[in-house]
Amino acid sequence: QVQLVESGGGSVQAGGSLKLSCAASGDISTSCRMGWYRQAPGKERELVSSSSSSWTTSYADSVKGRFTISQDNAKNTLYLQMNSLKTEDTAVYTCAAEFPRAGTCRNFPRKNYWGQGTQVTVVS
């Protein structure tokens, strides 16, 4: 069982920056993929950014060029640097991790873990 704990959320003015952290209780260097999701009120949860075990990163079109995902395996921590924040970025941001089943990321479903989420509010 892997626990994920997010931090770094808060309220910021439009145009500002926040850096989210996700501390994992397990060795994230063995994960298949880690990512950040967000859910705004009345909207479906969406994948904001992810980072795979092959160091491939992806971003939602709405955050490309503004958000950067990174991870520090020594600290077992995933980050999301958010710059040029917009009011539409307001949401609960949740960290997620996929770990291999039976020793390989090729087996599905993987072991999926979720954090509790952290609120990000961008005000104009």
Side-chain angles (χ1 to χ4, degrees), residues 14-43:
S17 299
L18 282 175
K19 186 173 185 178
L20 304 183
S21 299
C22 171
S25 63
D27 182 359
I28 66 171
S29 69
T30 65
S31 67
C32 304
R33 189 175 79 154
M34 296 195 70
W36 289 96
Y37 289 77
R38 69 184 181 187
Q39 186 167 21
K43 294 187 177 181

Side-chain angles (χ1 to χ4, degrees), residues 43-75:
K43 294 187 177 181
E44 293 188 353
R45 184 171 60 193
E46 65 169 337
L47 177 62
V48 175
S49 180
S50 67
S51 175
S52 73
S53 57
S54 61
W55 299 102
T56 301
T57 59
S58 67
Y59 297 91
D61 288 342
S62 59
V63 306
K64 281 181 181 177
R66 300 188 297 120
F67 291 11
T68 303
I69 192 171
S70 63
Q71 62 188 77
D72 185 335
N73 290 344
K75 295 182 178 179

